[in-house]
Amino acid sequence: MALDHKPDHVPVVERNLDYTHFELRSLSPHLGAEVRGLDLSQPLSAAQQAELRRAFLDWSVLVFPEQQLAAEHHKALGRLFGELHVHPQLRGSDMKHPEVLPVVTNENSPFTPGDGWHTDVTCDEIPPLGSMLYVRETPSCGGGDTLFADMYAAYELLSDPMKEFLEGLTAIHDGAGPYNEQAELLGLPTPEGGHPRTEHPVVIRHPETGRKILFVNSGFTTRIVGLSSAESRGVLDILFRHIESNPKLWCRVSWQPNTLTFWDNRCTQHHAIWDYYPHARIGGRVSILGTTRPTA
Ligand code: SIN
């Protein structure tokens, strides 16, 4: 008997696995790869950079274990891919490296940054292209992994009627929710002028690969424009659940001390798992500015 529904398979995209400047091992057939054989504290040759860019576009999440990186190395690596972002909460601060957002969680932390599915800073008109998180210390009890979700595959797995419905819709991405909550927990004032808020298409195309991406996230997306409030809530809940409940979309990064992970913020979401309280995890994140608004 013929199936009356499409099986839920994530299409495997064929990739050229021929890398000459490093070894690459995939973390899942769709998303994420571990890269060994490059010292990221040293200048990379043009050929190494070109191969790294190809791997980045192919795998969206690249994990580099056993790296010894000072803030200067971290920033220099980020600058190979574009200008660096300064997080709204650090703008105007007098830290020596405001481009390196501390990602530190210990027994005194009221929350851990990124503990929930999100894409970084989509409340900006041009969200970051990608982020590089360098974890120097991992919890002594283990844990502290990060889940990543493939938003190309999230789009592909939607049914055709749902894809058709979402085509042409836009959504509001608002920084007020997450940032006010964090500021309150940290006892920080709301910045003058409030937090960024913007509108993006619900389905976008990756500016370099041209592939379609589902571009809503439960961290920042508050409303689908043109739907009633109840409809918007219902549709967003379906889409968030699609991402949160589907392990086929994910890969899991298990950090070792001194690991750097570089993710493509345009086509992934991530979720930092805080399963190690009261132990500590210590790192810093550099984000690279995007160059174009997300477009359909
Ligand atoms: C983040 O959202 O950038 C933090 C991710 C992590 O700590 O694993």
Side-chain angles (χ1 to χ4, degrees):
M1 199 174 72
L3 290 173
D4 65 354
H5 66 280
K6 197 172 73 159
D8 291 338
H9 294 307
V10 179
V12 174
V13 175
E14 295 307 326
R15 296 158 169 117
N16 175 0
L17 285 169
D18 189 14
Y19 298 99
T20 51
H21 296 284
F22 45 79
E23 296 114 52
L24 182 142
R25 180 183 69 85
S26 64
L27 300 180
S28 86
H30 316 280
L31 177 71
E34 186 179 275
V35 175
R36 288 183 183 266
L38 281 182
D39 180 351
L40 300 179
S41 70
Q42 298 301 312
L44 299 180
S45 69
Q48 285 171 323
Q49 287 181 41
E51 214 164 73
L52 204 51
R53 280 173 209 283
R54 173 159 69 82
F56 179 61
L57 292 179
D58 278 349
W59 295 99
S60 308
V61 177
L62 297 180
V63 182
F64 302 86
E66 295 177 21
Q67 300 290 333
Q68 297 298 330
L69 302 178
E72 299 297 354
H73 303 130
H74 197 173
K75 293 197 295 185
L77 183 66
R79 287 195 176 110
L80 293 179
F81 290 83
E83 275 182 59
L84 302 187
H85 177 263
V86 176
H87 198 277
Q89 280 176 347
L90 298 183
R91 261 175 215 150
S93 74
D94 60 0
M95 293 167 62
K96 194 159 166 229
H97 300 288
E99 304 91 341
V100 183
L101 177 74
V103 177
V104 175
T105 303
N106 57 35
E107 59 182 336
N108 300 315
S109 305
F111 63 91
T112 192
D115 184 13
W117 282 107
H118 67 287
T119 302
D120 293 330
V121 206
T122 59
C123 53
D124 277 1
E125 277 188 15
I126 303 183
L129 171 156
S131 290
M132 295 176 169
L133 175 61
Y134 180 55
V135 172
R136 285 198 310 277
E137 284 182 37
T138 52
S140 55
C141 58
D145 294 355
T146 307
L147 294 173
F148 287 88
D150 179 348
M151 300 310 293
Y152 293 125
Y155 174 77
E156 288 298 332
L157 279 188
L158 295 172
S159 65
D160 289 340
M162 183 55 106
K163 285 181 181 157
E164 210 173 305
F165 172 71
L166 297 177
E167 207 70 51
L169 291 177
T170 59
I172 303 297
H173 295 240
D174 195 341
Y179 296 149
N180 282 340
E181 194 182 319
Q182 290 178 7
E184 200 173 309
L185 289 166
L186 294 171
L188 297 172
T190 304
E192 236 173 85
H195 292 290
R197 184 176 190 272
T198 192
E199 195 171 325
H200 296 301
V202 170
V203 177
I204 62 168
R205 275 190 193 273
H206 193 287
E208 294 181 76
T209 66
R211 293 176 62 202
K212 285 191 173 185
I213 295 162
L214 177 61
F215 197 66
V216 291
N217 70 90
S218 56
F220 291 98
T221 315
T222 52
R223 180 76 198 249
I224 299 188
V225 177
L227 302 189
S228 73
S229 145
E231 288 167 345
S232 165
R233 187 70 272 144
V235 173
L236 286 177
D237 283 348
I238 290 173
L239 297 177
F240 295 160
R241 188 167 159 67
H242 175 58
I243 298 152
E244 292 163 5
S245 66
N246 198 339
K248 286 180 196 173
L249 301 177
W250 311 340
C251 74
R252 183 170 183 132
V253 173
S254 295
W255 303 85
Q256 297 303 313
N258 303 320
T259 298
L260 180 130
T261 296
F262 178 24
W263 63 86
D264 190 333
N265 197 52
R266 300 163 295 188
C267 56
T268 60
Q269 296 197 11
H270 54 285
H271 180 168
I273 304 172
W274 192 10
D275 55 357
Y276 50 88
Y277 178 86
H279 294 267
R281 177 177 181 267
I282 298 174
R285 188 182 95 193
V286 158
S287 291
I288 298 132
L289 290 177
T291 50
T292 50
R293 288 196 70 141
T295 46

